[in-house]
Amino acid sequence: MNNLIPHHIHYLKKSMLLLCMLLLNFLSLHAQENVKRKQLFNDDWRFFLGEETKASSDNFNDKDWRHLDLPHDWSIEGKVHPKNATGAGGGYFPAGVAWYRKTFTVPENWKTQKTAIYFEGVYMNSEVFINGKSLGVYPYGYSSFSYDLSPHLKYGEQNVIAVRVDNSQQMNSRWYSGSGIYRHVWLIHTDPVHIAQWGTGISTFEISPKKATVRVETKVINETESLQEITVTALIQNPNSNTAGRQETKVALSPKSEKVVTQLIKVSNPALWSPQQPFLYKALIKVSKQKKILDESIVDFGIRSLKFTVENGFQLNGKTIKLNGGCVHHDNGALGAAAFDRAEQRKVELLKASGFNAVRTSHNPPSEAFLDACDRVGLLVMDESFDCWKIGKNKYDYSNYFNAWWKRDLQAMVLRDRNHPSIFMWSIGNEIPEREDPDAVNTAKMLSEEIKKIDTSRPITSAIVNGGKNWDIFDPLMAQHDVAGYNYSLDKAPQDHIRVPSRIIVQTESYPKDAFKNWELVQKNKYIIGDFVWTAMDYLGESGIGRYYYSGEVHGEHWENDFFPWHGAYCGDIDLIGWRKPIAHYRGMLYNEKEKLYMAVREPAPEPLEIKQTWWSVYPTWESWTWTEYTGKNVEVEVYSKYPKVKLYLNGQLLGEKQTGEKEEFKAVFTVPYASGTLRAVGVANEKEEESVTLKTAGEAVQIKLAADRKEIKADGQDLTYIAVELLDREGVLNPNADGRLTFKIQGPGSIQAIDNANLKDFEPYQSLTRKAWHGRALAIVRSTHEKGEIKLTVSGDGLQPQTITITSNN
């Protein structure tokens, strides 16, 4: 008997294992039959940096290639070096050619279906292969595109996608572009009768507090050889996920044909989208035949009205809005161009928190994740297409492709992005070199007309710089736009208004130092709808723009000399680790009422040297009262205030009182003999001290403070947490002069994706486990893996007590 028990147990175990395997196979098949229309295709790619002529073949051996998950930018992983071909414009990062490969299996029952691969962005000149067959080359690194895989797949077998990326022709950009498959990739699986890619367009009109009309246009495609009688159903859900409207339309689709189905749906008591209340609706679109669902998709949208007039400027939902805008490039600092969803969301959150209500995607379409975040957070977007048209700014830039590709790329931008309520305007270009040529008028007309074939609900602009010319030379070009975009010339607007009284104007770029002057022009002229500063955030490339320097150093603007080790732009209101510079507080205060008092100190010049400024710079000013080497010497304290006046105290003693009204540009400057201690600025209204801000002298840095923007992240290999590092004295005061080297160590299911300190002259690798602090700060970006558990990050440094922070990664 005893000998039989193990035998029975063994038999039972085998039987249970077999049953489990059968169940798993059934569930797997069931899942394949009910597979999502759009599947993230980021995981488990192979990567090789360099040329490999045989890598397109499906039987190529890539086992020794690097294993990674997308999104991926190989340039940010390389060394910043003055001899790299990207030059100052590209931040001196490496470029070149690289290959990506992914092996995957599709089930046998997909043979009667349609399968496509969708790339949100590959920089640049990508060629995609499936099982050795080339599907095409796509030049523009900022466009989204897809290919039909169905004719080339091996069903029930392994398949290989190979992507060659060629960013070797340099220079092709005026800023950091990154290299590689830097945005998401998706596998799209549908029935032969399906909704077209970007096939749903949603617009709203007849909007009142009681009702609104939602127009849903859906392009459906029949790729079969027979007539298909189908039903297209559009279901609208309100922000509370309740049904707000529904319509069914029966359609007869001829063989191998497509048709646009238009449905008008009334929505009662609409919740209107705005930056203050970014309410989002969902449209559920279903294509069915005899009650069987053939295809379905979900589209987020917002109900809001846009109106632009000379008399009232830009009106959103009937209310005039003045745009406090900022230009941004697409990079995410230490992450390079990699468009992680969390990185894009955080960028939008930082912009909103800084007081911006609008952003310009200079000078290309952004990631889908960025626009989704703008929709959710409430940030208006000027969506821009190109930096040049037929005449280029660099040898290998988009001008080489414009004639052949402009229509496809413009359509890709508008079709992909048209449902985002955050987008209030399209831009067709930036500082076009041929802008004085009559042919530019024809090009602008051509681009504008193409956009309006798809979307007539938004105005069209482009950014025009005059280069010292009279603006009237550009009148024919501006006439092709609904809104005239002025770069750095808003002071010309009043006289232009007299000459062309019908013109609506927005300043598409401005110098940071001109914040008050531009705010005043925007506020006092209804036909000027807003200002977009260059830039809202620091960025990689365009090296040295916005820099300040000391007498004796190489002088000039960023295009005049080589300023290595500068490898990025310092003209942003927000730096690369997310710290708001003093100019950000000043600009935010001008346009908003959330912040009314702020204080910082102008960096003292180390005599006999002087601090020199460049066009895009502001004088270096810091949240610091730690200038002990200047004891007894005069330093200048800047106080920004929305109070009528301010008082300044040092160690409890009143130093002075100054007016800070509009006449004073909401700013007061105090000259103070430096002494250690506590500096306090107080806002005064009706002779009453209302609010105060302080700066304290810091002692030697002895402790590390770690703060994560999120303590819980998803174990999906995609999520990020940003961990701020601050070096404090014994009293917990940040030491803004601390610059010691820090070492980072990680344990658990996470990786250090990047480390930064915001110093654009520090050319140490961003992918590292060590970095010096800068002004007492640093930043670690931690990425999840596919495993759940606790992630521990420990930061240490000489003379500093090590500090550990724990992040939970779960499903």
Side-chain angles (χ1 to χ4, degrees):
M1 287 289 294
N2 288 342
N3 290 336
L4 291 175
I5 292 173
H7 175 77
H8 286 302
I9 292 173
H10 180 67
Y11 176 79
L12 285 170
K13 283 183 176 179
K14 285 184 70 176
S15 300
M16 289 177 67
L17 181 63
L18 182 62
L19 283 170
C20 285
M21 290 177 66
L22 289 170
L23 179 61
L24 284 171
N25 284 334
F26 169 77
L27 290 173
S28 176
L29 287 170
H30 183 72
Q32 288 168 3
E33 289 173 0
N34 295 277
V35 72
K36 285 184 179 180
R37 179 186 208 274
K38 190 176 177 185
Q39 307 165 56
L40 197 60
F41 209 52
N42 282 350
D43 296 347
D44 200 26
W45 287 76
R46 299 283 175 167
F47 172 74
F48 176 75
L49 181 56
E51 185 62 279
E52 177 50 78
T53 56
K54 298 180 181 179
S56 62
S57 172
D58 53 345
N59 58 16
F60 178 82
N61 186 350
D62 59 18
K63 69 180 180 64
D64 294 328
W65 284 18
R66 178 180 164 192
H67 178 232
L68 55 78
D69 292 345
L70 305 175
H72 176 243
D73 171 9
W74 83 70
S75 287
I76 198 67
E77 299 174 343
K79 291 182 179 179
V80 174
H81 195 283
K83 292 185 179 180
N84 281 333
T86 56
Y92 304 101
F93 285 86
V97 174
W99 283 83
Y100 296 84
R101 285 169 54 90
K102 179 178 171 70
T103 300
F104 64 105
T105 304
V106 293
E108 187 73 34
N109 61 357
W110 280 26
K111 190 175 289 187
T112 58
Q113 307 293 299
K114 300 296 294 185
T115 305
I117 189 167
Y118 172 54
F119 294 87
E120 288 192 19
V122 184
Y123 203 92
M124 60 178 289
N125 286 314
S126 63
E127 185 171 9
V128 179
F129 301 84
I130 177 68
N131 298 324
K133 169 69 175 177
S134 176
L135 299 176
V137 175
Y138 209 106
Y140 197 32
Y142 299 111
S143 276
S144 300
F145 58 93
S146 61
Y147 295 111
D148 182 10
L149 302 181
S150 304
H152 315 289
L153 289 173
K154 302 173 184 177
Y155 295 94
E157 301 178 40
Q158 284 193 338
N159 297 267
V160 178
I161 285 279
V163 184
R164 181 182 184 271
V165 184
D166 186 353
N167 195 19
S168 62
Q169 292 183 312
Q170 294 292 333
M171 297 168 57
N172 58 52
S173 176
R174 296 186 302 115
W175 56 88
Y176 177 85
S177 66
S179 302
I181 309 178
Y182 69 103
R183 293 178 183 167
H184 293 316
V185 181
W186 302 84
L187 203 65
I188 298 177
H189 174 68
T190 66
D191 190 270
V193 179
H194 59 271
I195 301 165
Q197 174 71 19
W198 306 322
T200 301
I202 300 176
S203 55
T204 58
F205 57 101
E206 295 178 347
I207 297 169
S208 72
K210 292 187 176 181
K211 66 176 182 178
T213 301
V214 177
R215 178 191 287 115
V216 182
E217 295 181 315
T218 305
K219 181 187 283 188
V220 285
I221 299 176
N222 175 14
E223 296 195 50
T224 73
E225 301 289 346
S226 59
L227 175 73
Q228 298 289 329
E229 295 183 346
I230 60 171
T231 300
V232 177
T233 305
L235 175 70
I236 305 297
Q237 286 186 344
N238 67 19
N240 296 320
S241 298
N242 297 319
T243 299
R246 185 177 186 274
Q247 188 173 123
E248 285 188 0
T249 305
K250 296 190 181 300
V251 181
L253 273 177
S254 301
K256 298 292 183 180
S257 71
E258 60 185 42
K259 184 176 290 187
V260 175
V261 179
T262 301
Q263 297 166 303
L264 300 179
I265 302 172
K266 302 290 185 182
V267 173
S268 300
N269 306 313
L272 304 186
W273 187 96
S274 70
Q276 295 75 30
Q277 294 181 305
F279 293 121
L280 290 174
Y281 284 75
K282 289 185 183 296
L284 286 71
I285 315 298
K286 294 185 179 182
V287 176
S288 58
K289 181 178 181 180
Q290 297 173 350
K291 297 186 178 181
K292 178 187 177 183
I293 296 174
L294 303 179
D295 194 13
E296 58 184 338
S297 71
I298 300 175
V299 179
D300 289 336
F301 72 98
I303 298 176
R304 87 286 186 267
S305 66
L306 307 175
K307 189 176 182 181
F308 296 78
T309 63
V310 170
E311 294 77 19
N312 295 305
F314 167 43
Q315 291 179 298
L316 179 67
N317 302 326
K319 296 179 181 178
T320 295
I321 285 185
K322 293 294 188 177
L323 299 171
N324 176 30
C327 301
V328 296
H329 277 312
H330 71 296
D331 73 87
N332 283 307
L335 297 173
F340 293 94
D341 286 0
R342 176 57 197 161
E344 303 287 61
Q345 174 81 18
R346 176 178 178 267
K347 181 190 292 185
V348 173
E349 291 170 351
L350 289 172
L351 292 169
K352 188 73 180 285
S354 193
F356 291 105
N357 64 3
V359 65
R360 173 180 174 229
T361 68
S362 45
H363 303 291
N364 48 264
S367 71
E368 292 186 41
F370 180 82
L371 294 175
D372 289 340
C374 290
D375 291 342
R376 289 190 299 266
V377 174
L379 194 66
L380 291 159
V381 178
M382 180 190 297
D383 201 354
E384 192 157 82
S385 54
F386 309 122
D387 188 41
C388 60
W389 297 342
K390 297 178 181 179
I391 297 177
K393 301 173 183 179
N394 280 303
K395 184 177 181 180
Y396 297 108
D397 65 16
Y398 190 73
S399 62
N400 293 282
Y401 311 105
F402 181 84
N403 285 332
W405 284 88
W406 71 266
K407 182 180 288 189
R408 201 175 328 185
D409 288 323
L410 199 63
Q411 288 175 342
M413 179 183 81
V414 179
L415 286 170
R416 190 197 71 168
D417 297 349
R418 58 183 163 164
N419 297 320
H420 290 280
S422 56
I423 296 175
F424 74 102
M425 189 182 298
W426 304 111
S427 172
I428 55 175
N430 171 66
E431 297 184 352
I432 300 304
E434 66 266 36
R435 58 189 174 273
E436 296 179 31
D437 191 322
D439 186 53
V441 177
N442 298 327
T443 303
K445 184 174 186 289
M446 175 180 75
L447 297 172
S448 296
E449 288 177 349
E450 190 61 36
I451 289 178
K452 290 181 177 180
K453 289 177 184 176
I454 303 170
D455 177 41
T456 58
S457 69
R458 298 172 177 93
I460 293 168
T461 190
S462 72
I464 299 173
V465 65
N466 82 353
K469 310 283 178 152
N470 291 325
W471 271 119
D472 56 1
I473 194 174
F474 301 117
D475 285 352
L477 179 59
M478 288 185 176
Q480 297 303 321
H481 302 78
D482 303 301
V483 176
Y486 284 34
N487 274 11
Y488 308 104
S489 297
L490 199 61
D491 57 331
K492 301 290 195 303
Q495 67 189 54
D496 285 3
H497 177 64
I498 295 171
R499 189 180 75 256
V500 191
S502 61
R503 181 175 294 170
I504 303 165
I505 295 170
V506 63
Q507 183 158 235
T508 32
E509 289 181 26
S510 66
Y511 298 114
K513 63 191 175 194
D514 291 337
F516 179 82
K517 180 177 74 172
N518 292 320
W519 172 84
E520 192 173 40
L521 282 164
V522 169
Q523 297 302 315
K524 295 184 177 180
N525 297 282
K526 291 182 178 179
Y527 57 89
I528 301 176
I529 66 173
D531 172 43
F532 286 77
V533 67
W534 191 271
T535 55
M537 304 183 77
D538 287 350
Y539 56 93
L540 300 175
E542 209 161 1
S543 304
I545 185 174
R547 76 186 183 106
Y548 60 92
Y549 62 100
Y550 301 96
S551 47
E553 293 184 344
V554 179
H555 71 280
E557 299 299 324
H558 59 283
W559 69 84
E560 294 179 314
N561 289 301
D562 190 310
F563 298 112
F564 188 88
W566 282 96
H567 60 278
Y570 196 65
C571 50
D573 277 22
I574 304 167
D575 74 12
L576 279 187
I577 65 173
W579 180 69
R580 288 179 68 191
K581 301 175 189 176
I583 184 63
H585 292 271
Y586 182 59
R587 190 186 321 281
M589 200 177 292
L590 290 175
Y591 285 89
N592 302 278
E593 297 300 324
K594 292 181 180 178
E595 187 177 17
K596 297 184 70 175
L597 189 68
Y598 177 84
M599 175 174 57
V601 178
R602 290 165 67 92
E603 182 178 319
E607 294 182 0
L609 303 181
E610 295 179 351
I611 293 177
K612 307 282 189 178
Q613 290 186 243
T614 52
W615 289 3
W616 280 268
S617 72
V618 292
Y619 195 93
T621 308
W622 306 97
E623 292 176 353
S624 171
W625 193 240
T626 307
W627 309 97
T628 51
E629 68 273 33
Y630 293 94
T631 299
K633 297 180 180 179
N634 286 341
V635 296
E636 291 187 315
V637 178
E638 292 188 351
V639 182
Y640 314 145
S641 166
K642 278 292 188 76
Y643 292 98
K645 57 184 178 181
V646 294
K647 294 180 179 179
L648 189 67
Y649 294 87
L650 178 57
N651 297 326
Q653 181 180 351
L654 179 64
L655 299 181
E657 182 177 308
K658 292 194 175 187
Q659 300 290 320
T660 52
E662 185 172 341
K663 182 181 176 183
E664 293 77 28
E665 301 183 3
F666 307 112
K667 183 186 297 186
V669 180
F670 295 86
T671 301
V672 180
Y674 180 79
S676 298
T678 301
L679 190 69
R680 186 166 69 100
V682 181
V684 179
N686 300 317
E687 303 306 319
K688 182 181 177 182
E689 295 189 356
E690 297 282 353
E691 178 188 356
S692 66
V693 291
T694 61
L695 295 173
K696 293 183 178 180
T697 304
E700 182 183 358
V702 295
Q703 56 179 318
I704 298 170
K705 178 184 176 183
L706 301 180
D709 67 340
R710 296 156 77 236
K711 297 293 289 286
E712 292 188 14
I713 59 177
K714 295 179 182 177
D716 59 1
Q718 293 286 316
D719 210 357
L720 307 172
T721 180
Y722 286 74
I723 300 173
V725 183
E726 293 185 342
L727 305 187
L728 313 179
D729 69 5
R730 295 185 189 282
E731 306 299 320
V733 178
L734 174 79
N735 186 322
N737 300 327
D739 60 358
R741 181 163 294 280
L742 300 170
T743 300
F744 298 77
K745 180 183 177 183
I746 195 163
Q747 297 172 289
S751 63
I752 296 175
Q753 187 70 20
I755 295 174
D756 196 5
N757 59 11
N759 182 1
L760 286 161
K761 290 191 284 186
D762 181 351
F763 53 88
E764 291 189 18
Y766 288 104
Q767 278 67 42
S768 175
L769 297 179
T770 178
R771 200 167 186 95
K772 295 182 73 174
W774 191 57
H775 291 288
R777 293 183 173 89
L779 178 74
I781 307 173
V782 172
R783 181 179 182 180
S784 68
T785 66
H786 295 274
E787 297 178 10
K788 61 182 182 179
E790 286 192 344
I791 304 168
K792 294 182 183 293
L793 179 74
T794 301
V795 184
S796 58
D798 290 344
L800 301 168
Q801 182 69 31
Q803 187 72 21
T804 299
I805 190 169
T806 300
I807 307 297
T808 302
S809 180
N810 55 46
N811 295 326

